[in-house]
Amino acid sequence: MITIDIPKALWLTSNSRPHRAVKWQTVAAVRALGKQAATASGERYTVASCLVAVGYPMSDKLRADPPNAYDPVTKAAIDGCVDAGLLPDDSSEHLPVVSFTRGPKSAPGTYRLTLTFTDQEVPF
C-alpha cells in the first residue's frame, strides 16, 4: 500500500482546465511524490492490479467522484511508481486493472491517494 498526500494546490481532476505550463508543473510534482512514496515502500511487481482510494479533505463540502481523479493526478502518481521500479510499465500488460473507491477523509487542504497494488495474473 502506497499513500501519497497531495496538497490542494496540486490537485487536478479530469474536469480541471489549467494552462498547460501549470498542468505540466503539477503533474511533475505529483509524479515526484509518487516516486518518493513507491521507493520508500520497496514493493515490486511484474503484473499488478491497483485499487485507488481517494481521500478528500475534511473541510471539502463538494461531492466526491473518485474516478474523476484519474486524469491527471492518479496517472502521474502511478507514473511515479513506475519511475521507482514498482512496475516495469503502466501499460495494460503490467497494470491491467485500475479501480477507484472513496477513501477516508484526509486532513484539511490535502487530498490522499492510497494505491493498493496486488499481484494479478493477466487472463489473456
Side-chain angles (χ1 to χ4, degrees):
M1 185 177 348
I2 296 169
T3 302
I4 306 166
D5 289 326
I6 302 172
K8 192 171 188 173
L10 297 178
W11 189 253
L12 296 176
T13 69
S14 58
N15 293 327
S16 299
R17 301 286 182 256
H19 185 275
R20 66 179 177 259
V22 172
K23 181 178 178 181
W24 180 85
Q25 291 171 337
T26 301
V27 166
V30 172
R31 187 172 184 155
L33 291 172
K35 181 177 181 180
Q36 180 181 13
T39 300
S41 78
E43 294 181 36
R44 299 287 179 265
Y45 300 93
T46 302
V47 178
S49 62
C50 181
L51 174 63
V52 180
V54 182
Y56 295 87
M58 290 179 165
S59 61
D60 197 341
K61 303 271 190 241
L62 300 173
R63 294 184 323 181
D65 185 5
N68 199 29
Y70 183 70
D71 181 32
V73 173
T74 304
K75 172 74 171 117
I78 290 173
D79 286 344
C81 292
V82 171
D83 293 345
L86 185 137
L87 283 166
D89 190 37
D90 63 345
S91 68
S92 61
E93 181 180 338
H94 299 283
L95 188 63
V97 177
V98 178
S99 55
F100 293 85
T101 189
R102 185 166 182 173
K105 289 188 176 186
S106 57
T110 304
Y111 291 83
R112 175 169 280 177
L113 291 180
T114 304
L115 309 174
T116 304
F117 292 90
T118 54
D119 285 323
Q120 164 121 15
E121 290 298 320
V122 181
F124 47 88

